[in-house]
Amino acid sequence: MNISYQWLSALLGADAGVEAVARLLTNAGLEIEKVREVGANLESVLVAVVESTRPHPTSKNPLTLVTVNLGKDGSLEIVCGAKNVPAPGGRVLFAPVGTTVFTGDPKSPSFTLVEKPVAGIVSKGMLCSEIELDLGSDDSGIIVLDGAESVAAGTRLVDYLPGAHDWILEVNVTPNRPDALGHLGVARDVAALLGIAFGGVKPKAIAARAAKDDERVRVESKTDACDRFDAAVLVGATVRRSPLWLRSRLHRLGLRAINNVVDASNYVMLELGQPNHTYDLDVIAERTVVARNAMEGEVLQTLDEKTRALTAGDVVIADASKPIGLAGVMGGEGSGITDKTTRLLLEAAHFDPSAVRRMAKRHDIHSDASHRFERGVDPACPPLAIARLKELLVELTGATVVDADVSARGPKELAPALEVSVRDARVAAVLGIDVPRAECTRIVASLGFVMGAEDADRFVVRVPSFRPDVTREIDVIEEIGRVFGLDRVPLAVVPSSGARAGAVRDFSQRRRVRDALVALGLDEAVNYAFDADALFESVGLRASARIANPLSGDRAAMRPTLVAGLLKNASLAVRHGETKVRLFEVGTVFAGRRAEDLLANEREATAANEGPLHEETRVAFVLVGPRDSYLGDAGSVDVLDGKGVVEALVEALTRGAVQADRGGEAPPWAHRAAFARLSVAERAIGYVSELHPSMRAPFRLPSSTVVGELSLSALLAAAPALRAVRPSKLPSMRRDVALLVARAHPVATVASLLRQGAGERCASVSLFDRYVGKELPEGTHSVAFSMEFSPVGDKTLTDAEVDGWVKSAVARVVQDLHAVQR
Amino acid sequence: MEALDAIEREVDGAFAPVRDEHELRATHARFLGKEGSLTLIMRRMPELAPAEKKTFGQAVNRVKTAVESASEAAEVRVKQAALARELDREPTDVTMPGRRPRVGRQHPLHRVLYDVTDIFVSMGFDVAEGPESDWETNNFERLGFPADHPALDMQDTFFLHNEGRPGPRALLRTHTSTVQIRELLSHPPPVMIVAPGTVFRCDDDATHSPMFAQIEGLVVDEGISLAHLRGTLATFAQRLFGKDVTTRMRGSYFPFTEPSVELDASCSLCGGRDPHCRLCKGSGWLEVAGAGMVDPVVLSNCGIDPEKYTGFAFGLGIDRLAMIRYQVPSIELLYSNDERFLRSL
């Protein structure tokens, strides 16, 4: 909502300063997002009287040389390109050299006038159009002041047009404050904040002449959606351009000036916040206006030149034969004001917020009227709006008011004014500060609340009709707080209750895993939880949960995996020339629940702290390109690098041992020759694999792409209780063993047999070398293990006994796997 | 005796050219090894007459001492030479890159999220969480959003396909305030939680991301007032932005708090002194949190007596804090997952 500071000050009869007013309003909940100074350039502009004109002697363009009288500054001859230069005696606006003038072109919006020759003749200024002075949007010619015959030549524009130098306050009006969608409501807040009296808007009473029969109208509301419908009739109006003050005011507040009748209607809306409408009485069938529910199949062409098919849920304003407006949303074509209109029907009505909101949504119209009605316009305002409209229209159009006012009520009773009881103790308990009773009542009274009964510990107020947001004690307390000054609330420390959270999930687990993976040298990605189906299909997966109203049609799938997003990220990095990628993500994946899932029930699921979708936290990573190395080439990553990440992660988090096998149902992105199902303590935690070769191309990723995806809960479930080891004071002993063995036997099997064969003193068997070469028998490899033996108690190990254990270990492998010791 | 004298004359010359441990041991052995010249002479002692033995013995000891001291001197020299050789080797070019393990980068959103959470945890809050998908009941109704009201437009909602199921509509939560409901339903007051999490709005432009991170705070107990809210957020702002930061509280509107406030912190960059400050845009203030006293209807909806208990709630946008801290020029970068961005922080 744009608020004119000059208009506000005029309503208040006080000028407290733009900055002070902006600060007060912001603190009280009407946030001023921006203050725009307008018309500072008008200080030097003068009203000039045309003395004579002559055509430009040489120019081929239709230029006129205009001699104007500037009062005490004498006369000047000005070059003017406009075609509407008035006859001598006409009043125009003169901007002298040095004035900032506007172009209407956003690329170079303004410039400063300098003295330079136009077609060979030097002007000391220019005669200006609305656009050039930023007073309107008309660029068809220069401004010619109407009815300004008595204005002296040389009068400053800012004296002729009070408020020409103004400040526009851009107010962020929250949905609970419909009263602030007009200058009146904002002025009321400012008055309360400044502690000054405010009388509101009081239109002059206009004498009406008796109405003739054909000047009477019939008005009726047949729908609950219209509480009241007030109408009035004016005759003898002349429709024409509005005076400069009105055109410029609307322009600055963001509305386009149309003609004096429409402009007056908009002006009243901006002033009172009451949308209203003017009709050409002569096109209203049977001079009958009804608010009613639309009938299925009716159509209406609205003012935006669109044809609307109406349904039973719509509420229309109709004459005796057809709809002429969508109630509270937009008027219809055909009944509006034209140049020929002389008899006016004024409408100010109140419509139900929900009904207007539904219509505006259904027809996708967001108008100034619907914006206000759906937030709640003061149901008591229509008579005031009609009175104000009459006052303005009589002045602007020369019309006469006839005695034909009608005020219809809807079938539904108007809700009575609410009375709210406010306890002093509650005010203090909520605000954390004692606000004296007298201060409380002063504040609510200044906001338009009517004081009711008071007793020792409470007072009663009647809520004004323009504050639909206030219905309860707590709402009144908010009013007291925001006007008293929220910034006066002191700072207090919450006495810690030591309460534990009840709704818990896996916050600290996610955090531990993130920390561990960062420590392992991976960078963290955060991808959207939804993306295109095509992305997930590119890793062979389909989403089972979908967004009904996605931002764009192709981003409707809730992710069933983190892998796809990470591959997209890796792809981006590779495209940027990065050869090495190390990325991980810890996040939620989603699946639809089956109907028989008990947690598909909202209450059950809420109680279990679950949602409508099955959500699972996953840990995923992608590795691409060369291994970490120093200057040399350490080869490219493969599935064992991925396994290593998981082993290190598990070691960091739970100290569990990771087992790998090729069991279970491998994910579609797994490479059948290079994947592993990983388990800790016999429980599968996820898969790691080189990326399936057919999935590399869509992401333009190299063969050295390794991905892994784990379940966070499975990963952390296998955490054994840790017990400290008492280190032996005696040395342990180490033996290396090299074996030639068929590659068909997994290394883990060889190691396990060695350990079994070596007996209980063998603390560990670890592979430290592996060799594959042509000189070895077909299908074999040479594997070398380091075996560690630990003493027990205070008995030192001897070479002989260790050699014996190693010998029996080797014998076991030789026997079981036909291995050969090397 | 002549032989002894000859050996004695040899000693200094023998040790003088010794250059390393090996030569040192060999030279020492030449005199005192199994077949050393002095050893051989000493072996002949028993053959001497008792009268000669004493003189001879003294002479042998003298020569032996000479050998040992020459050997020790040579050893010192050899060790010093070895040390000097090691230290004087060709210096390593330390401008070569260090051999280092790769360091990973945590996403800036999570760094800020955890910092913010830690501050509140240190003030006595526990961490609560709820699901990212939820129902309109928890996202709107129980929070007191009026049906069919423009307040709903404040949060453009992603709805989920309901698969034709009856009941409330499923959606992606538009705020972490859903956790207020879930926490309040989980146990009676006192309640003192922060709820960090991911939220979604149907909004995608230069300043909005359809997914972003928030942290919610909720305290419900007897005797909680707006002063507690202010004290809590002021302490938070000082911990996050610095101890010189001041706060202001101003009116606002959220359907689930009453009164509703915005809490602003004085600009941590310019302190309100720079009219062209890139951070506060000259206003002197940074919006920290939307907040307020928990609306009584929220408490009632969760079966809590609003006459007995009061509470406050607040919500902070993590993305904006991350953008401030790391000078991120546009919000889309936070979700770009461009390695060049991630590794720059």
Side-chain angles (χ1 to χ4, degrees):
Chain A
M1 174 76 195
N2 290 333
I3 293 290
S4 153
Y5 178 74
Q6 292 279 14
W7 193 352
L8 198 62
S9 300
L11 283 171
L12 285 164
D15 179 354
V18 181
E19 281 189 18
V21 166
R23 194 173 54 244
L24 283 170
L25 286 171
T26 293
N27 289 343
L30 292 176
E31 184 191 0
I32 308 300
E33 294 185 319
K34 201 172 171 189
V35 177
R36 244 177 328 116
E37 185 177 5
V38 291
N41 60 324
L42 301 179
E43 298 284 352
S44 57
V45 175
L46 303 176
V47 175
V49 179
V50 175
E51 289 185 325
S52 63
T53 63
R54 60 180 177 114
H56 191 286
T58 55
S59 172
K60 290 192 184 68
N61 296 321
L63 294 179
T64 311
L65 298 180
V66 186
T67 303
V68 292
N69 178 0
L70 295 170
K72 65 176 165 46
D73 292 347
S75 291
L76 277 179
E77 190 173 53
I78 309 296
V79 184
C80 183
K83 296 187 187 79
N84 67 330
V85 176
R91 263 63 176 171
V92 294
L93 294 178
F94 170 76
V97 165
T99 307
T100 299
V101 295
F102 294 84
T103 64
D105 176 2
K107 277 189 289 226
S108 76
S110 65
F111 64 92
T112 303
L113 276 182
V114 293
E115 194 171 315
K116 68 172 183 194
V118 178
I121 295 183
V122 173
S123 272
K124 289 191 181 305
M126 70 187 283
L127 305 182
C128 296
S129 69
E130 283 185 356
I131 285 205
E132 282 154 354
L133 293 181
D134 196 23
L135 284 170
S137 52
D138 184 5
D139 63 351
S140 66
I142 58 172
I143 297 171
V144 179
L145 303 180
D146 282 339
E149 296 75 14
S150 60
V151 179
T155 302
R156 296 174 70 219
L157 175 60
V158 290
D159 294 331
Y160 167 72
L161 194 65
H165 186 175
D166 200 355
W167 291 263
I168 304 303
L169 311 181
E170 294 181 5
V171 192
N172 174 15
V173 179
T174 50
N176 61 323
R177 290 295 306 276
D179 64 303
L181 293 170
H183 282 69
L184 170 65
V186 176
R188 189 184 297 115
D189 256 30
V190 174
L193 292 163
L194 289 172
I196 60 176
F198 177 56
V201 173
K202 299 258 185 321
K204 279 202 302 277
I206 306 278
R209 73 156 165 76
K212 299 172 190 159
D213 282 352
D214 74 343
E215 290 164 355
R216 293 191 189 283
V217 289
R218 196 172 72 80
V219 172
E220 190 180 357
S221 168
K222 293 179 173 173
T223 169
D224 285 349
C226 176
D227 297 319
R228 71 180 294 166
F229 193 121
D230 285 26
V233 174
L234 275 71
V235 299
T238 306
V239 178
R240 57 178 169 183
R241 166 188 285 252
S242 295
L244 187 59
W245 71 265
L246 180 52
R247 290 177 60 83
S248 62
R249 183 148 277 178
L250 292 177
H251 168 74
R252 284 167 164 185
L253 295 173
L255 266 63
R256 197 183 176 84
I258 311 282
N259 59 46
N260 51 0
V261 177
V262 175
D263 293 350
S265 167
N266 282 330
Y267 186 87
V268 168
M269 176 182 71
L270 293 180
E271 183 174 61
L272 306 178
Q274 167 74 54
N276 58 86
H277 202 68
T278 49
Y279 301 90
D280 184 335
L281 179 62
D282 291 307
V283 302
I284 305 289
E286 299 179 23
R287 296 192 308 282
T288 295
V289 189
V290 183
R292 61 163 168 83
N293 295 328
M295 288 176 284
E296 207 73 47
E298 280 186 312
V299 293
L300 171 68
Q301 195 179 14
T302 40
L303 279 170
D304 55 5
E305 295 174 356
K306 287 190 179 132
T307 303
R308 312 275 175 180
L310 304 180
T311 66
D314 289 323
V315 179
V316 294
I317 307 301
D319 66 10
S321 63
K322 61 187 181 307
I324 54 174
L326 204 49
V329 180
M330 190 173 276
E333 282 281 352
S335 58
I337 305 302
T338 69
D339 293 351
K340 312 237 166 4
T341 302
T342 60
R343 301 204 300 170
L344 309 174
L345 169 65
L346 316 185
E347 166 206 312
H350 182 257
F351 300 108
D352 175 60
S354 298
V356 172
R357 179 173 160 81
R358 284 194 295 271
M359 274 191 282
K361 284 220 163 222
R362 182 156 53 238
H363 294 289
D364 194 23
I365 303 177
H366 186 92
S367 65
D368 286 326
S370 70
H371 185 79
R372 287 171 171 80
F373 278 122
E374 58 180 87
R375 282 160 176 74
V377 171
D378 178 6
C381 194
L384 175 64
I386 292 283
R388 186 73 175 111
L389 259 179
K390 284 181 188 168
E391 181 187 18
L392 276 170
L393 287 170
V394 165
E395 175 195 326
L396 294 169
T397 69
T400 304
V401 178
V402 298
D403 180 15
D405 287 10
V406 195
S407 180
R409 294 300 159 101
K412 206 173 71 178
E413 287 282 304
L414 284 179
L418 270 176
E419 296 215 325
V420 176
S421 171
V422 182
R423 293 163 292 173
D424 299 325
R426 194 69 176 175
V427 175
V430 171
L431 298 180
I433 185 168
D434 276 315
V435 184
R437 165 80 68 87
E439 181 68 0
C440 290
T441 56
R442 181 201 73 76
I443 288 169
V444 292
S446 70
L447 290 171
F449 290 71
V450 179
M451 292 307 301
E454 284 191 58
D455 64 27
D457 58 0
R458 69 184 63 205
F459 58 95
V460 175
V461 291
R462 198 160 74 234
V463 181
S465 56
F466 49 79
R467 291 303 301 273
D469 58 311
V470 177
T471 58
R472 306 164 300 170
E473 178 186 42
I474 190 73
D475 303 322
V476 179
I477 293 175
E478 175 171 56
E479 294 302 300
I480 293 167
R482 71 180 187 86
V483 175
F484 179 72
L486 291 167
D487 220 27
R488 292 161 76 177
V489 171
L491 283 69
V493 175
V494 180
S496 176
S497 58
R500 311 303 301 174
V504 291
R505 286 166 87 85
D506 55 8
F507 175 82
S508 59
Q509 289 93 325
R510 286 182 185 222
R511 183 174 188 172
R512 286 175 61 208
V513 170
R514 285 185 178 123
D515 287 347
L517 284 167
V518 166
L520 292 173
L522 277 66
D523 300 326
E524 187 183 18
V526 174
N527 281 291
Y528 287 155
F530 50 80
D531 214 311
D533 284 300
L535 177 68
F536 303 116
E537 281 160 12
S538 67
V539 294
L541 291 168
R542 287 193 64 82
S544 64
R546 313 182 59 75
I547 296 172
N549 57 332
L551 273 173
S552 56
D554 66 344
R555 283 201 289 171
M558 295 304 294
R559 61 182 176 189
T561 178
L562 303 180
V563 166
L566 286 176
L567 289 173
K568 190 164 89 171
N569 306 150
S571 176
L572 178 77
V574 168
R575 235 181 10 258
H576 288 144
E578 189 63 66
T579 53
K580 184 192 280 189
V581 180
R582 304 285 189 268
L583 277 174
F584 79 93
E585 181 165 10
V586 177
T588 309
V589 300
F590 302 83
R593 288 190 194 280
R594 286 190 296 274
E596 63 271 22
D597 185 345
L598 271 183
L599 292 177
N601 173 307
E602 182 265 332
R603 283 186 176 277
E604 301 278 343
T606 298
N609 200 22
E610 291 281 342
L613 299 181
H614 175 75
E615 298 184 14
E616 183 194 346
T617 305
R618 295 260 178 93
V619 180
F621 59 86
V622 57
L623 316 174
V624 179
R627 295 191 179 104
D628 294 349
S629 69
Y630 189 78
L631 306 183
D633 178 7
S636 296
V637 294
D638 63 23
V639 64
L640 294 178
D641 294 271
K643 185 189 174 195
V645 168
V646 179
E647 288 173 323
L649 179 63
V650 170
E651 166 138 19
L653 295 173
T654 69
R655 305 250 29 202
V658 175
Q659 288 91 38
D661 61 27
R662 297 162 56 79
E665 192 188 331
W669 41 262
H671 185 309
R672 104 178 150 229
F675 83 92
R677 178 177 69 176
L678 301 177
S679 309
V680 177
E682 309 288 304
R683 178 174 172 165
I685 60 170
Y687 283 85
V688 60
S689 176
E690 288 167 29
L691 182 61
H692 192 288
S694 69
M695 293 172 185
R696 295 199 295 252
F699 293 103
R700 293 197 223 167
L701 286 167
S703 57
S704 61
T705 299
V706 176
V707 287
E709 188 166 38
L710 315 171
S711 152
L712 178 78
S713 59
L715 178 67
L716 293 169
L722 297 182
R723 235 175 83 193
V725 161
R726 177 196 290 277
S728 172
K729 291 194 173 65
L730 304 172
S732 55
M733 294 184 77
R734 199 176 285 278
R735 291 288 188 276
D736 292 347
V737 173
L739 298 160
L740 191 69
V741 64
R743 292 207 296 269
H745 301 303
V747 165
T749 307
V750 181
S752 165
L753 286 171
L754 280 174
R755 184 142 186 196
Q756 286 169 29
E760 60 182 1
R761 290 286 177 276
C762 180
S764 70
V765 174
S766 48
L767 182 76
F768 72 90
D769 194 20
R770 172 174 183 262
Y771 177 75
V772 184
K774 286 207 183 75
E775 65 275 29
L776 299 182
E778 179 84 13
T780 66
H781 58 175
S782 168
V783 285
F785 295 90
S786 172
M787 304 177 69
E788 191 185 359
F789 296 87
S790 305
V792 169
D794 55 2
K795 187 174 172 301
T796 308
L797 296 173
T798 67
D799 282 331
E801 60 187 355
V802 170
D803 289 345
W805 294 327
V806 170
K807 202 171 163 191
S808 66
V810 169
R812 181 71 183 274
V813 182
V814 168
Q815 184 197 326
D816 286 16
L817 305 180
H818 307 294
V820 177
Q821 185 169 18
R822 285 163 61 88
Chain B
M1 291 296 275
E2 289 82 41
L4 262 180
D5 289 346
I7 290 172
E8 190 171 11
R9 279 197 300 276
E10 245 180 86
V11 171
D12 285 346
F15 281 98
V18 163
R19 305 195 65 90
D20 58 31
E21 298 263 343
H22 176 74
E23 286 177 16
L24 179 66
R25 277 195 302 278
T27 309
H28 189 264
R30 208 174 112 194
F31 298 100
L32 287 165
K34 264 186 200 162
E35 302 295 320
S37 50
L38 197 56
T39 311
L40 293 176
I41 286 179
M42 286 191 291
R43 235 178 251 159
R44 281 175 15 217
M45 276 262 274
E47 300 163 20
L48 295 175
E52 286 183 310
K53 267 187 187 167
K54 189 180 174 195
T55 337
F56 187 78
Q58 283 170 344
V60 165
N61 276 342
R62 194 185 71 238
V63 176
K64 195 176 171 184
T65 305
V67 170
E68 294 293 359
S69 72
S71 174
E72 277 163 28
E75 186 178 359
V76 169
R77 191 162 45 76
V78 163
K79 282 195 169 154
Q80 270 171 350
L83 188 63
R85 263 200 311 283
E86 186 174 348
L87 291 174
D88 291 342
R89 68 158 205 237
E90 183 185 343
T92 304
D93 177 358
V94 292
T95 65
M96 297 260 289
R99 288 186 185 83
R100 59 168 178 173
R102 183 183 157 101
V103 176
R105 316 301 306 176
Q106 186 162 63
H107 197 281
L109 278 174
H110 288 129
R111 283 189 239 173
V112 174
L113 183 79
Y114 292 141
D115 287 354
V116 167
T117 306
D118 287 346
I119 292 173
F120 285 114
V121 167
S122 77
M123 293 164 72
F125 287 77
D126 197 14
V127 177
E129 283 184 301
E132 293 168 28
S133 62
D134 213 318
W135 285 275
E136 57 188 340
T137 42
N138 294 325
N139 199 77
F140 294 124
E141 283 171 28
R142 292 184 178 118
L143 285 167
F145 276 76
D148 249 340
H149 191 268
L152 295 166
D153 298 341
M154 293 164 84
Q155 306 191 355
D156 287 332
T157 308
F158 283 117
F159 287 97
L160 293 165
H161 265 294
N162 243 17
E163 314 289 342
R165 266 177 220 160
R169 284 187 295 176
L171 43 75
L172 296 180
R173 63 176 176 188
T174 60
H175 47 199
T176 43
S177 307
T178 51
V179 185
Q180 287 191 31
I181 299 300
R182 289 167 173 277
E183 178 68 15
L184 291 174
L185 288 173
S186 74
H187 66 94
V191 164
M192 189 167 180
I193 54 125
V194 281
T198 305
V199 302
F200 304 86
R201 289 188 200 170
C202 219
D203 219 348
D204 196 2
D205 58 37
T207 53
H208 296 89
S209 164
M211 181 178 111
F212 54 102
Q214 282 187 335
I215 187 165
E216 189 85 4
L218 176 69
V219 173
V220 176
D221 204 346
E222 293 179 44
I224 296 294
S225 79
L226 209 51
H228 293 115
L229 167 62
R230 188 171 190 190
T232 300
L233 289 178
T235 304
F236 166 76
Q238 288 179 343
R239 297 253 186 105
L240 191 72
F241 294 121
K243 64 176 170 44
D244 297 330
V245 158
T246 57
T247 54
R248 76 167 175 183
M249 200 157 71
R250 59 188 166 85
S252 190
Y253 170 69
F254 306 101
F256 40 99
T257 50
E258 189 82 14
S260 298
V261 301
E262 290 276 350
L263 191 114
D264 300 339
S266 58
C267 179
S268 55
L269 188 65
C270 76
R273 286 180 293 274
D274 178 2
H276 306 292
C277 177
R278 65 169 172 77
L279 197 51
C280 68
K281 309 275 181 279
S283 74
W285 297 99
L286 302 175
E287 289 181 19
V288 173
M293 296 299 289
V294 178
D295 194 298
V297 77
V298 176
L299 297 175
S300 303
N301 287 344
C302 296
I304 293 166
D305 179 3
E307 280 296 304
K308 182 173 180 197
Y309 294 103
T310 50
F312 67 77
F314 57 85
L316 287 94
I318 297 298
D319 299 63
R320 223 176 59 83
L321 292 177
M323 291 174 77
I324 290 173
R325 179 189 287 186
Y326 297 111
Q327 300 187 33
V328 180
S330 89
I331 189 163
E332 65 186 340
L333 269 178
L334 286 175
Y335 299 92
S336 67
N337 298 311
D338 188 323
E339 285 254 340
R340 295 168 298 180
F341 166 75
L342 293 174
R343 292 196 67 78
S344 69
L345 296 176

